[in-house]
Amino acid sequence: MNDIYSFPVEEQLNYIQGLPYKCEYFHPGFTCETQILHMFPILFSQNAKVYLPVHLLPFLIYKRKAFFKNPISTTIRSLFSYIKSVLFLTLMVQAMRYNWCKQVRFRNTVDPLIPISGGFIGAFSLLLESKSRAQEIMLSIVPRYFETILNLLKRKGWIKNIPKGDVFVFAMILAIIHYYYQHDSKALKTTYRGMFSKFWGKN
């Protein structure tokens, strides 16, 4: 992977200055299209390792009864969901890389539009995921977005850093979760309610 995507210093300087560069440095010996086919099984196998614990742990914790009751259908559904998750991440990365190559080549420039459009296009691979998992991914990405904005504002000096502010935010979030668990538990996911009941007891 590192050899395939090696980036010479001269080309890095061009990139920093917003100048076009040869995308062949990212995939020597391949065109943009053949590189997609070449990298697909590599990325798929790597992403499969990433998603294995994500799907395996809930399967072992929450689907044991369903597995013993109907092992074949439960395994097939879980395996299908696992493959869709791996495909989601693989296709998203591939779409963003392909978009980057093509925009640099055809527009002959490097600007913020490239990662913005790449992220927008790649995000449509989320349609492969189930509705519940897509919501989980969205809820995990949104805080990262606001964290990025917050760090940017801090770096520009537009807001002051609050010592241990992350602890305060965590306390607020936990308070909200506790409130809904007590007064409107159906607002929480079924798996979360099951986990909370093990620690805090049934509501």
Side-chain angles (χ1 to χ4, degrees), residues 15-85:
Y15 167 76
I16 294 173
Q17 296 171 4
L19 300 175
Y21 55 87
K22 297 178 180 179
C23 60
E24 287 81 3
Y25 283 117
F26 283 103
H27 44 76
F30 296 94
T31 64
C32 299
E33 289 73 22
T34 57
Q35 174 69 357
I36 294 294
L37 299 176
H38 171 71
M39 289 299 300
F40 183 85
I42 299 175
L43 290 173
F44 188 91
S45 63
Q46 291 180 343
N47 295 332
K49 298 175 184 178
V50 172
Y51 266 105
L52 182 60
V54 175
H55 283 263
L56 183 60
L57 291 178
F59 179 84
L60 296 176
I61 296 174
Y62 300 111
K63 296 184 179 180
R64 287 178 299 176
K65 293 182 179 179
F67 174 76
F68 289 120
K69 185 177 181 180
N70 199 337
I72 296 178
S73 62
T74 303
T75 302
I76 291 176
R77 286 197 303 268
S78 298
L79 184 60
F80 183 63
S81 177
Y82 171 63
I83 293 174
K84 288 198 302 181
S85 294

